[in-house]
Amino acid sequence: MNKTRILIIEDNDDIRESTAEILELAGYEVMQAENGKIGVEVATRNLPDLILCDIMMPELDGYGVLYLVNKNSQTAATPFIFLTAKAERLDMRKGMEMGADDYLTKPFDDVELLNAIESRLSKKEKLQQFYSQSLDRLTHLLGNTPGIAELHKMIAGRKVRTVKKKQVIYYDGDTVSGIYLVLSGKVKTTKLSEDGRELLTGIYSSDEYFGVPALLLNEPYTEAAEALEDSTICLLPKEMMEELLNKYPAVGKQFIQILSNNLIEKEEQLLQLAYHSVRKRMAEVLIRLCNREERSERSERGERLERTERSKVGTRQDREESSKKNNEHPDSLEQSTGLILKVSRDNLAAMAGMATETVSRILSDFKDEEIIERKGSQIVILDQLRLKNMKN
Amino acid sequence: MNKTRILIIEDNDDIRESTAEILELAGYEVMQAENGKIGVEVATRNLPDLILCDIMMPELDGYGVLYLVNKNSQTAATPFIFLTAKAERLDMRKGMEMGADDYLTKPFDDVELLNAIESRLSKKEKLQQFYSQSLDRLTHLLGNTPGIAELHKMIAGRKVRTVKKKQVIYYDGDTVSGIYLVLSGKVKTTKLSEDGRELLTGIYSSDEYFGVPALLLNEPYTEAAEALEDSTICLLPKEMMEELLNKYPAVGKQFIQILSNNLIEKEEQLLQLAYHSVRKRMAEVLIRLCNREERSERSERGERLERTERSKVGTRQDREESSKKNNEHPDSLEQSTGLILKVSRDNLAAMAGMATETVSRILSDFKDEEIIERKGSQIVILDQLRLKNMKN
DNA sequence: CGGATAGTTGAGGGGGGTCAATGGCAGTGG
DNA sequence: CCACTGCCATTGACCCCCCTCAACTATCCG
């Protein structure tokens, strides 16, 4: 096997050369660049396996490098680690949100450096493997017309980004660089009203796209996106999408379906907000969440054959799944009593457009009426039917 | 010029033959069919210029004939007149809603018959001419990529349907036969809540499509559509749309844009319904209506050169336009004070999701504050800015 | 184990829905 | 021409739903 090749972009000669030395001793092949511009050139020409990059640099700063590297499909999947002085911590978050994979604060010692690099390289491999599974799943589910296959090939080449719970992926008003696909975890999109209350406009889990309408309209986002739990997502850049849309009608049809579904759902929600009591709205929100849950459960079950090796990756996640299975087997029908939802009151309130206190009160009522049960902050749905027939 | 060719479909031999005789005397070329099945065959083979058709027939009834004739693109644009016994009046409405152009109640005399036929033939010509103008307009506006041109060619071949104010075009739950394009007039789509209150989900005027998501999802309508004023619309059947979508990415892109826009607008409305006071919501609804008005006004103005002959067709409509122009010229800026809106309180209430009484009250307040003025049941917008900055 | 964060419960008040009565306006028929 | 009728818009009275504020309790985390 070839040596792993690392590119260091750093304007300070001392730091760059000493770092390079450490890495060479550790058995890596090292390339050096003394500013961002050169760095990008080297990256595109030599396609390193990993990039270390300073933020503060003349000519082109670290953000610029990251942006350009991500834009180029050949280098986009390359792990990218920021090197940064301690004072720049705040800017770091921005860097992470732009798609950097990790960061090291200067001064760093040898161990830190090598650890970060190795963990990143191994993680990349794992994620790549994991993602290729969910890709298979997608392909499997959606059939395999010419355009869709291209779409998936494109997804395959993209960098997988991990976001932590509560991390913001984009803000309302940000310019759009592409469309996002959730590989694992959950992401919510929200709109803020002037007085600061938020409305949850969508929840997206595995295999779902978000940020779609903004991309296709070529306008800034009209909503913010935030991870509900630790998630892995994948950015499909605008240029690629447009090319695919222009070439393959099937891709367009795919998105038309998604948009149409969304639209109808939103109209239903409008009706509910307009004329239904909080009580009924709460019930409807719970049902929406149940349906999501059942759907994703079903799609997971359908795949269980082909990926028994997944247990190597997920640990906590698998425990959850088995606990769900217990509650699911007693009656194997759709009408599954005992579905567990994990949502904060705040998110429930933001979905139904009401105050968190009201959510609390209504859930208490539901519990008294034995429609639901509370397990800590989780909600167990006992009687979907009564939720569906909730009077106004 | 060739003789105009008329097809009579009628199972009663006496009526059919006597009618045929009258028509031949009047100089038409006549074809006869003694039941629906034969009628459809003759229609597709000989492509008559007009079809007269009984409703109650063995083998295939009038509705069936109409359905099949409309489905075939070669015959879809042929004027279609129902012949019906007096007792069947109620069924008639159904026939008209399905796309018949007129009906005659048996027994009818010669004059009635010939009048109906001639008026229909001349109207067809006028409409065809008018529509080809709005087609030009569309093509002009949207550029002329390969797919779009096909789309317009298709529109050109379609029958134009006229609907009267308050006439329902489709109901919630109806199966979808195609997508609608408004050529003139205004159409609203509404959803009904269980307790009968309605929410207005969209208003569509010239050159806008409605019924889009239902078609593209292949599911029944989730809303009802009704004409707000006398309108002309055009149905683009499902099969054709699918073919175009599969062939031309540009067509798909077009609809993606429409859907995305709709989606973002709906999300904005969700936010408003969730957290804004009725007062602010009312202001927002008025602004939405103003924007629509200004937009359609602008697109009309852009075209005024190419269609001076239009005054032959519209009479009432043109008077409206000139009255608008008076209120528009004083300041030629966008910020036009004095925009006139014609909406019923009920529709306003349905748009904002509140009670009509509340609409009344708020409009009264706005009038006191000199933000609007009332001219009969019309509303004159005096101060858009204050509407936009309405506090919550 | 505190300190923070998330969730629950109570009291109070106002925004906006409901019901009902009245006022305007257009269409209809005498 | 007016009276009659029916529909739509307006206004008032009432009161209930749900939001706000506030205090309290549970849960999670270092």
Side-chain angles (χ1 to χ4, degrees):
Chain A
M1 184 180 146
N2 266 330
K3 266 193 195 175
T4 304
R5 297 150 68 242
I6 296 181
L7 167 62
I8 308 177
I9 311 174
E10 162 69 70
D11 57 328
N12 181 316
D13 295 343
D14 289 348
I15 299 182
R16 189 180 66 248
E17 279 165 17
S18 70
T19 311
E21 209 169 310
I22 298 170
L23 295 176
E24 274 165 2
L25 282 173
Y28 294 109
E29 187 183 325
V30 181
M31 296 168 265
Q32 298 188 30
E34 67 264 28
N35 68 41
K37 227 171 137 191
I38 300 179
V40 174
E41 280 172 29
V42 175
T44 39
R45 202 176 41 227
N46 296 341
L47 306 177
D49 298 304
L50 186 144
I51 299 174
L52 291 170
C53 181
D54 189 19
I55 291 187
M56 297 285 278
M57 286 185 300
E59 288 278 346
L60 181 69
D61 68 6
Y63 301 127
V65 175
L66 177 54
Y67 178 77
L68 291 171
V69 161
N70 268 344
K71 215 172 156 176
N72 182 327
S73 59
Q74 290 202 283
T75 52
T78 314
F80 196 103
I81 298 178
F82 268 132
L83 304 174
T84 167
K86 212 164 197 175
E88 297 159 7
R89 270 273 168 83
L90 217 106
D91 298 335
M92 275 312 315
R93 263 202 54 200
K94 186 180 155 199
M96 295 295 282
E97 280 170 16
M98 278 182 66
D101 297 293
D102 204 347
Y103 62 100
L104 286 167
T105 40
K106 297 187 277 194
F108 44 82
D109 61 29
D110 311 3
V111 184
E112 258 184 288
L113 174 66
L114 294 173
N115 270 345
I117 290 177
E118 262 171 51
S119 99
R120 205 32 66 181
L121 286 172
S122 76
K123 213 170 255 177
K124 188 202 167 184
E125 214 162 298
K126 262 193 219 153
L127 283 173
Q128 213 72 290
Q129 187 188 332
F130 167 68
Y131 116 82
S132 86
Q133 280 166 16
S134 59
L135 182 64
D136 287 350
R137 193 162 16 134
L138 260 178
T139 314
H140 190 209
L141 283 175
L142 300 174
N144 217 338
T145 31
I148 305 293
E150 294 296 320
L151 178 60
H152 291 170
K153 228 180 275 172
M154 172 175 127
I155 296 171
R158 297 296 308 166
K159 170 141 78 177
V160 173
R161 204 176 124 191
T162 61
V163 288
K164 301 232 180 69
K165 185 173 174 173
K166 291 215 164 185
Q167 188 179 326
V168 175
I169 298 159
Y170 56 75
Y171 288 97
D172 188 349
D174 282 3
T175 52
V176 179
S177 47
I179 206 174
Y180 289 91
L181 173 64
V182 180
L183 295 178
S184 73
K186 276 206 184 83
V187 172
K188 71 172 179 183
T189 54
T190 58
K191 285 173 85 79
L192 279 183
S193 80
E194 293 152 26
D195 52 351
R197 284 179 291 193
E198 75 172 25
L199 182 74
L200 213 157
T201 53
I203 295 185
Y204 304 87
S205 25
S206 318
D207 304 338
E208 294 184 306
Y209 296 91
F210 64 96
V212 180
L215 173 80
L216 301 169
L217 283 178
N218 247 326
E219 273 171 27
Y221 289 113
T222 56
E223 54 186 14
E226 185 187 317
L228 280 174
E229 40 189 78
D230 295 359
S231 309
T232 52
I233 60 176
C234 162
L235 174 68
L236 315 179
K238 188 154 84 173
E239 296 78 22
M240 294 191 190
M241 287 306 305
E242 302 223 312
E243 208 188 310
L244 283 183
L245 281 175
N246 286 332
K247 249 196 222 149
Y248 303 104
V251 178
K253 260 185 121 176
Q254 178 92 28
F255 283 104
I256 282 177
Q257 299 261 338
I258 294 173
L259 288 170
S260 298
N261 266 321
N262 262 323
L263 197 52
I264 285 177
E265 200 184 330
K266 292 278 140 62
E267 285 181 349
E268 185 56 36
Q269 285 178 42
L270 272 175
L271 188 69
Q272 293 174 5
L273 265 178
Y275 297 129
H276 290 178
S277 68
V278 255
R279 209 179 132 82
K280 191 166 173 61
R281 255 150 59 205
M282 193 71 252
E284 276 150 355
V285 163
L286 289 178
I287 287 174
R288 276 212 310 276
L289 288 171
C290 283
N291 289 341
R292 287 200 65 74
E293 210 56 43
E294 276 169 5
R295 195 149 30 94
S296 68
E297 200 119 317
R298 228 176 300 141
S299 89
E300 300 237 331
R301 225 178 301 151
E303 300 306 308
R304 201 144 287 170
L305 319 166
E306 325 175 20
R307 48 189 187 108
T308 38
E309 70 278 61
R310 206 193 128 188
S311 49
K312 286 176 209 160
V313 181
T315 57
R316 196 196 44 163
Q317 212 163 348
D318 277 29
R319 223 176 302 133
E320 275 169 41
E321 267 173 21
S322 57
S323 83
K324 267 183 210 158
K325 241 188 290 182
N326 289 339
N327 280 308
E328 183 186 301
H329 251 257
D331 51 353
S332 57
L333 255 164
E334 289 261 356
Q335 181 50 282
S336 63
T337 45
L339 205 53
I340 295 184
L341 300 177
K342 286 173 56 175
V343 217
S344 73
R345 302 302 123 114
D346 279 331
N347 280 329
L348 283 175
M351 289 186 78
M354 52 190 169
T356 50
E357 295 92 330
T358 308
V359 175
S360 252
R361 266 182 263 270
I362 291 176
L363 289 183
S364 296
D365 291 352
F366 283 179
K367 194 189 163 188
D368 292 346
E369 298 165 30
E370 294 177 329
I371 298 175
I372 64 166
E373 206 171 281
R374 280 189 295 223
K375 281 243 172 75
S377 69
Q378 296 180 2
I379 299 170
V380 186
I381 308 293
L382 297 177
D383 194 341
Q384 280 200 40
L385 208 64
R386 269 205 284 165
L387 278 180
K388 268 176 198 144
N389 299 331
M390 183 67 53
K391 68 161 203 291
N392 200 351
Chain B
M1 184 182 147
N2 267 331
K3 265 194 195 173
T4 304
R5 298 151 68 242
I6 296 181
L7 167 62
I8 308 177
I9 311 173
E10 162 70 70
D11 56 330
N12 180 317
D13 295 343
D14 289 348
I15 299 182
R16 189 179 67 248
E17 278 165 17
S18 71
T19 311
E21 209 172 308
I22 298 170
L23 293 177
E24 274 165 2
L25 283 173
Y28 295 109
E29 187 182 326
V30 181
M31 295 168 265
Q32 298 188 30
E34 68 266 26
N35 70 42
K37 228 173 138 192
I38 300 180
V40 173
E41 279 173 30
V42 175
T44 39
R45 202 176 40 225
N46 296 341
L47 305 177
D49 297 304
L50 188 144
I51 298 173
L52 292 170
C53 181
D54 189 20
I55 292 188
M56 298 284 277
M57 286 184 301
E59 289 278 347
L60 181 69
D61 68 6
Y63 301 127
V65 174
L66 178 54
Y67 178 77
L68 290 173
V69 161
N70 268 345
K71 217 172 155 178
N72 182 327
S73 59
Q74 288 201 285
T75 52
T78 314
F80 196 102
I81 299 178
F82 268 132
L83 306 175
T84 167
K86 213 164 198 172
E88 297 160 6
R89 268 275 167 83
L90 215 106
D91 297 336
M92 274 313 316
R93 262 202 56 197
K94 186 181 155 198
M96 295 295 283
E97 280 170 15
M98 278 182 66
D101 296 293
D102 206 346
Y103 62 101
L104 287 167
T105 40
K106 295 186 276 195
F108 44 80
D109 60 30
D110 311 5
V111 183
E112 255 184 290
L113 174 67
L114 294 173
N115 270 346
I117 290 178
E118 265 173 46
S119 100
R120 205 32 66 180
L121 285 171
S122 76
K123 214 171 254 177
K124 187 203 167 184
E125 214 163 298
K126 264 194 217 153
L127 284 174
Q128 214 71 291
Q129 188 186 332
F130 167 68
Y131 116 82
S132 87
Q133 282 166 16
S134 60
L135 182 64
D136 287 350
R137 198 163 11 135
L138 262 178
T139 314
H140 190 207
L141 284 175
L142 300 175
N144 217 338
T145 31
I148 305 293
E150 295 297 317
L151 178 60
H152 291 171
K153 228 179 274 171
M154 172 176 126
I155 296 171
R158 296 299 305 165
K159 171 141 79 176
V160 173
R161 202 175 127 190
T162 61
V163 287
K164 302 233 179 68
K165 186 172 172 172
K166 292 212 165 188
Q167 188 180 327
V168 175
I169 299 161
Y170 56 76
Y171 288 97
D172 189 348
D174 282 3
T175 52
V176 179
S177 48
I179 207 174
Y180 289 91
L181 174 64
V182 180
L183 295 176
S184 73
K186 276 206 184 81
V187 172
K188 71 171 179 184
T189 53
T190 58
K191 284 174 88 77
L192 279 184
S193 81
E194 292 152 26
D195 52 351
R197 286 180 289 193
E198 75 172 26
L199 181 74
L200 213 158
T201 52
I203 294 186
Y204 304 88
S205 24
S206 318
D207 305 338
E208 293 185 305
Y209 296 91
F210 64 95
V212 180
L215 173 78
L216 301 169
L217 281 179
N218 249 326
E219 273 171 26
Y221 289 113
T222 56
E223 55 187 13
E226 182 186 320
L228 280 174
E229 41 189 78
D230 294 0
S231 308
T232 52
I233 59 176
C234 161
L235 175 69
L236 315 179
K238 189 155 83 172
E239 296 78 23
M240 295 193 189
M241 287 307 305
E242 301 221 314
E243 207 189 311
L244 283 182
L245 280 175
N246 285 333
K247 249 197 222 149
Y248 302 104
V251 178
K253 260 185 120 175
Q254 178 93 27
F255 284 103
I256 283 177
Q257 298 261 336
I258 294 173
L259 288 170
S260 298
N261 265 321
N262 262 326
L263 197 53
I264 285 178
E265 200 185 331
K266 292 278 139 60
E267 284 181 349
E268 184 57 37
Q269 285 177 40
L270 272 175
L271 188 70
Q272 294 173 6
L273 265 178
Y275 297 130
H276 290 177
S277 67
V278 256
R279 209 179 133 82
K280 190 165 173 63
R281 255 150 58 204
M282 193 72 250
E284 276 150 355
V285 164
L286 290 177
I287 287 173
R288 275 212 314 274
L289 289 171
C290 281
N291 289 341
R292 289 199 63 75
E293 210 55 42
E294 275 168 4
R295 199 150 25 97
S296 68
E297 200 119 314
R298 229 176 300 140
S299 88
E300 299 237 330
R301 224 178 301 153
E303 299 307 307
R304 200 144 288 168
L305 318 165
E306 325 175 20
R307 48 185 187 114
T308 39
E309 70 277 60
R310 206 194 128 190
S311 47
K312 284 176 208 158
V313 181
T315 57
R316 197 196 44 160
Q317 210 163 352
D318 276 29
R319 222 176 301 132
E320 275 171 40
E321 268 176 19
S322 57
S323 82
K324 267 184 210 159
K325 240 189 292 180
N326 290 339
N327 280 308
E328 181 188 303
H329 251 257
D331 50 353
S332 56
L333 255 165
E334 289 261 357
Q335 181 49 283
S336 63
T337 45
L339 205 53
I340 295 183
L341 300 177
K342 286 174 58 175
V343 216
S344 75
R345 299 306 121 115
D346 279 332
N347 280 329
L348 283 175
M351 288 186 77
M354 51 191 173
T356 50
E357 294 94 330
T358 309
V359 175
S360 255
R361 266 182 262 270
I362 290 175
L363 289 182
S364 297
D365 290 352
F366 284 179
K367 195 189 163 188
D368 292 346
E369 297 165 30
E370 293 177 330
I371 298 175
I372 64 165
E373 208 170 279
R374 280 190 294 224
K375 282 244 171 75
S377 69
Q378 297 180 2
I379 299 170
V380 186
I381 307 292
L382 296 177
D383 193 341
Q384 281 201 38
L385 207 65
R386 268 206 285 166
L387 278 181
K388 268 176 199 145
N389 298 332
M390 183 67 56
K391 67 161 203 292
N392 200 351

